[in-house]
Amino acid sequence: MKKTALFPGSFDPITKGHESIVLRALPLFEKIIIAIGINEQKQSFFPLEKRREWIQKVFASYPHIEVITYEGLTVDLCQKLAVKYILRGLRTSADFEFERSIGQMNKLMFPDVETVFFLTTPEHSALNSYIVRDIIKHGGDASPFTPDAIDVSEGMAK
Ligand code: ADP
């Protein structure tokens, strides 16, 4: 069976930080599944279809990167897909605390799963999707922070 990692997130929208984590993880895994979580309690800024389309475009030249959407617990998805590795990025100590509790809870629920963390590269550590959304909302230029292959300003939720 292929060594596969699942990279879950809201990707609202995908940023250069997410792109960098996936590209850096590629040498470790034969396949990476980018899983866009659907949270009914939380209204996303960009429509799901746009978020999926952008991620597909960013990684179009990588046949071993797949993009899916899911609802429910990440560990349930891992079990369903028989994936044993969850990929996450760490920017700050706040990320660490947040990720630690999720990672440990996931381990309690599904002991076979391992969370693999990548420290963000220094140039991406201040970057998050919230800031990108805020720039776009206020008519700024977010293109330095989003992958070169896409233009997220065309996806403004109307
Ligand atoms: P955000 O936290 O920006 O809303 P997501 O919920 O989509 O992003 O997060 C998915 C994963 O990507 C998380 O593990 C998060 O820590 C990681 N991530 C988000 N932005 C960056 C970044 N700039 N550098 C490294 N990892 C990041």
Side-chain angles (χ1 to χ4, degrees):
M1 195 169 52
K2 277 188 182 168
K3 196 185 279 183
T4 303
L6 186 88
F7 186 37
S10 43
F11 307 102
D12 189 21
I14 181 170
T15 68
K16 278 192 170 157
H18 296 124
E19 181 185 29
S20 154
I21 297 287
V22 173
L23 295 178
R24 287 167 60 207
L26 268 181
L28 295 184
F29 299 100
E30 289 157 278
K31 182 173 173 186
I32 294 181
I33 301 173
I34 303 174
I36 311 173
I38 304 168
N39 181 349
E40 278 175 5
Q41 309 325 326
K42 217 172 103 186
Q43 170 74 39
S44 67
F45 184 68
F46 290 110
L48 182 62
E49 267 321 305
K50 268 285 155 208
R51 288 182 276 151
R52 193 214 311 246
E53 190 187 303
W54 284 328
I55 302 173
Q56 274 165 344
K57 200 165 172 192
V58 170
F59 299 109
S61 56
Y62 297 89
H64 41 309
I65 297 179
E66 193 186 319
V67 188
I68 62 168
T69 62
Y70 75 106
E71 278 177 272
L73 294 176
T74 306
V75 278
D76 288 343
L77 181 68
C78 288
Q79 231 156 353
K80 191 172 121 197
L81 302 176
V83 169
K84 292 193 173 152
Y85 302 94
I86 295 177
L87 186 62
R88 299 289 289 175
L90 286 179
R91 288 162 289 190
T92 59
S93 52
D95 266 2
F96 172 76
E97 278 308 323
F98 179 72
E99 296 291 344
R100 183 181 60 79
S101 63
I102 296 182
Q104 289 177 334
M105 287 305 291
N106 284 343
K107 188 81 181 156
L108 284 172
M109 290 188 282
F110 183 21
D112 278 352
V113 84
E114 294 293 350
T115 308
V116 178
F117 295 104
F118 273 73
L119 282 183
T120 184
T121 48
E123 67 272 29
H124 297 132
S125 63
L127 179 54
N128 63 56
S129 297
Y130 174 80
I131 294 176
V132 169
R133 291 197 294 274
D134 220 36
I135 295 171
I136 292 168
K137 261 185 225 168
H138 295 99
D141 176 16
S143 62
F145 312 114
T146 52
D148 294 336
I150 58 170
D151 174 9
V152 303
S153 62
E154 46 100 23
M156 266 293 278
K158 303 227 164 61

Short mmCIF file of all heavy atoms in Angstrom, two decimals, residues 1 9 11 30 35 41 43 51 80-81 89 93 105 107 109 118-119 125 136 142 145:
data_model
loop_
_atom_site.label_atom_id
_atom_site.label_comp_id
_atom_site.label_asym_id
_atom_site.label_seq_id
_atom_site.Cartn_x
_atom_site.Cartn_y
_atom_site.Cartn_z
N MET A 1 0.84 -1.20 0.00
CA MET A 1 0.00 0.00 0.00
C MET A 1 0.88 1.26 0.00
O MET A 1 1.91 1.30 0.65
CB MET A 1 -0.89 0.00 1.26
CG MET A 1 -2.02 0.98 1.14
SD MET A 1 -3.27 0.82 2.43
CE MET A 1 -2.33 0.85 3.93
N GLY A 9 -7.64 20.83 6.21
CA GLY A 9 -7.69 22.25 6.53
C GLY A 9 -8.89 22.89 5.87
O GLY A 9 -9.65 22.22 5.17
N PHE A 11 -8.43 25.85 4.04
CA PHE A 11 -7.87 26.39 2.78
C PHE A 11 -8.77 27.49 2.21
O PHE A 11 -9.18 27.43 1.05
CB PHE A 11 -7.64 25.26 1.76
CG PHE A 11 -6.81 24.14 2.31
CD1 PHE A 11 -7.39 22.94 2.73
CD2 PHE A 11 -5.44 24.29 2.47
CE1 PHE A 11 -6.64 21.92 3.28
CE2 PHE A 11 -4.67 23.26 3.01
CZ PHE A 11 -5.27 22.08 3.41
N GLU A 30 4.28 8.90 -0.87
CA GLU A 30 4.02 8.58 -2.29
C GLU A 30 2.77 9.29 -2.78
O GLU A 30 2.59 9.50 -3.97
CB GLU A 30 3.85 7.07 -2.44
CG GLU A 30 5.16 6.34 -2.27
CD GLU A 30 4.94 4.90 -1.87
OE1 GLU A 30 4.73 4.65 -0.67
OE2 GLU A 30 4.95 4.06 -2.77
N ALA A 35 -7.36 17.56 2.02
CA ALA A 35 -8.77 17.36 2.35
C ALA A 35 -9.36 18.66 2.90
O ALA A 35 -8.97 19.14 3.96
CB ALA A 35 -8.91 16.23 3.38
N GLN A 41 -21.10 24.75 10.83
CA GLN A 41 -21.25 25.85 11.81
C GLN A 41 -20.50 27.10 11.35
O GLN A 41 -20.75 28.19 11.82
CB GLN A 41 -20.64 25.54 13.19
CG GLN A 41 -20.93 24.29 13.94
CD GLN A 41 -22.30 23.69 13.84
OE1 GLN A 41 -23.31 24.38 13.72
NE2 GLN A 41 -22.34 22.38 13.87
N GLN A 43 -19.29 29.55 8.38
CA GLN A 43 -19.48 29.99 6.99
C GLN A 43 -18.10 30.31 6.40
O GLN A 43 -17.34 31.08 6.99
CB GLN A 43 -20.38 31.23 7.02
CG GLN A 43 -20.50 31.99 5.72
CD GLN A 43 -21.39 31.25 4.72
OE1 GLN A 43 -22.40 30.65 5.07
NE2 GLN A 43 -20.98 31.30 3.47
N ARG A 51 -12.40 26.91 -3.70
CA ARG A 51 -11.23 26.49 -2.90
C ARG A 51 -10.64 25.21 -3.48
O ARG A 51 -9.43 25.04 -3.59
CB ARG A 51 -11.64 26.30 -1.44
CG ARG A 51 -11.89 27.62 -0.74
CD ARG A 51 -12.25 27.42 0.71
NE ARG A 51 -13.65 27.12 0.89
CZ ARG A 51 -14.15 26.39 1.88
NH1 ARG A 51 -13.35 25.87 2.77
NH2 ARG A 51 -15.44 26.18 1.97
N LYS A 80 -11.42 5.59 7.07
CA LYS A 80 -12.15 5.21 5.86
C LYS A 80 -11.19 5.04 4.68
O LYS A 80 -11.33 4.12 3.87
CB LYS A 80 -13.17 6.32 5.55
CG LYS A 80 -14.17 5.96 4.50
CD LYS A 80 -15.27 7.02 4.40
CE LYS A 80 -15.30 7.59 3.00
NZ LYS A 80 -16.01 8.84 2.89
N LEU A 81 -10.19 5.93 4.60
CA LEU A 81 -9.27 5.89 3.46
C LEU A 81 -8.03 5.04 3.75
O LEU A 81 -7.15 4.93 2.91
CB LEU A 81 -8.82 7.31 3.09
CG LEU A 81 -9.91 8.32 2.73
CD1 LEU A 81 -9.31 9.71 2.50
CD2 LEU A 81 -10.66 7.87 1.48
N GLY A 89 1.01 21.97 9.59
CA GLY A 89 2.09 22.96 9.64
C GLY A 89 2.10 23.66 10.99
O GLY A 89 1.04 23.85 11.60
N SER A 93 3.89 29.22 18.60
CA SER A 93 3.64 28.39 19.78
C SER A 93 2.13 28.20 19.96
O SER A 93 1.70 27.17 20.49
CB SER A 93 4.28 29.00 21.02
OG SER A 93 3.90 30.33 21.14
N MET A 105 -5.66 13.99 20.75
CA MET A 105 -7.03 13.44 20.73
C MET A 105 -7.19 12.47 19.56
O MET A 105 -7.78 11.41 19.70
CB MET A 105 -8.07 14.57 20.61
CG MET A 105 -8.25 15.39 21.85
SD MET A 105 -8.65 14.43 23.32
CE MET A 105 -10.30 13.88 22.92
N LYS A 107 -4.91 10.70 18.26
CA LYS A 107 -4.15 9.49 18.59
C LYS A 107 -4.96 8.59 19.53
O LYS A 107 -4.92 7.37 19.43
CB LYS A 107 -2.83 9.92 19.24
CG LYS A 107 -1.84 8.83 19.48
CD LYS A 107 -1.08 8.53 18.21
CE LYS A 107 -0.09 7.42 18.43
NZ LYS A 107 0.25 6.74 17.18
N MET A 109 -8.23 8.50 19.63
CA MET A 109 -9.37 7.93 18.90
C MET A 109 -8.93 6.90 17.87
O MET A 109 -9.65 5.96 17.58
CB MET A 109 -10.15 9.07 18.20
CG MET A 109 -10.89 9.96 19.18
SD MET A 109 -11.97 11.13 18.33
CE MET A 109 -10.80 12.35 17.79
N PHE A 118 5.36 19.96 10.11
CA PHE A 118 6.44 20.70 9.45
C PHE A 118 6.48 22.09 10.04
O PHE A 118 5.44 22.76 10.11
CB PHE A 118 6.17 20.82 7.94
CG PHE A 118 6.67 19.64 7.17
CD1 PHE A 118 6.02 18.43 7.24
CD2 PHE A 118 7.80 19.75 6.37
CE1 PHE A 118 6.49 17.33 6.54
CE2 PHE A 118 8.28 18.66 5.67
CZ PHE A 118 7.62 17.45 5.75
N LEU A 119 7.66 22.51 10.47
CA LEU A 119 7.81 23.90 10.89
C LEU A 119 7.70 24.76 9.66
O LEU A 119 8.30 24.45 8.62
CB LEU A 119 9.19 24.13 11.51
CG LEU A 119 9.42 23.65 12.93
CD1 LEU A 119 10.84 24.05 13.36
CD2 LEU A 119 8.41 24.25 13.89
N SER A 125 5.82 32.35 8.22
CA SER A 125 5.31 32.11 9.58
C SER A 125 4.26 33.13 10.01
O SER A 125 3.47 32.87 10.91
CB SER A 125 6.44 31.99 10.59
OG SER A 125 7.12 33.18 10.64
N ILE A 136 -8.14 40.91 0.96
CA ILE A 136 -9.05 40.90 -0.19
C ILE A 136 -10.33 41.67 0.11
O ILE A 136 -10.79 42.47 -0.71
CB ILE A 136 -9.35 39.44 -0.61
CG1 ILE A 136 -8.06 38.85 -1.18
CG2 ILE A 136 -10.47 39.37 -1.65
CD1 ILE A 136 -8.09 37.38 -1.37
N ALA A 142 -3.47 40.60 -2.45
CA ALA A 142 -3.03 39.44 -1.67
C ALA A 142 -2.12 38.53 -2.48
O ALA A 142 -1.68 37.49 -1.97
CB ALA A 142 -4.26 38.67 -1.19
N PHE A 145 0.94 36.54 -1.31
CA PHE A 145 0.75 35.55 -0.26
C PHE A 145 0.03 34.29 -0.71
O PHE A 145 -0.13 33.34 0.05
CB PHE A 145 -0.03 36.18 0.92
CG PHE A 145 0.53 37.51 1.32
CD1 PHE A 145 -0.20 38.68 1.16
CD2 PHE A 145 1.82 37.59 1.83
CE1 PHE A 145 0.34 39.91 1.49
CE2 PHE A 145 2.37 38.82 2.17
CZ PHE A 145 1.63 39.98 2.00
#
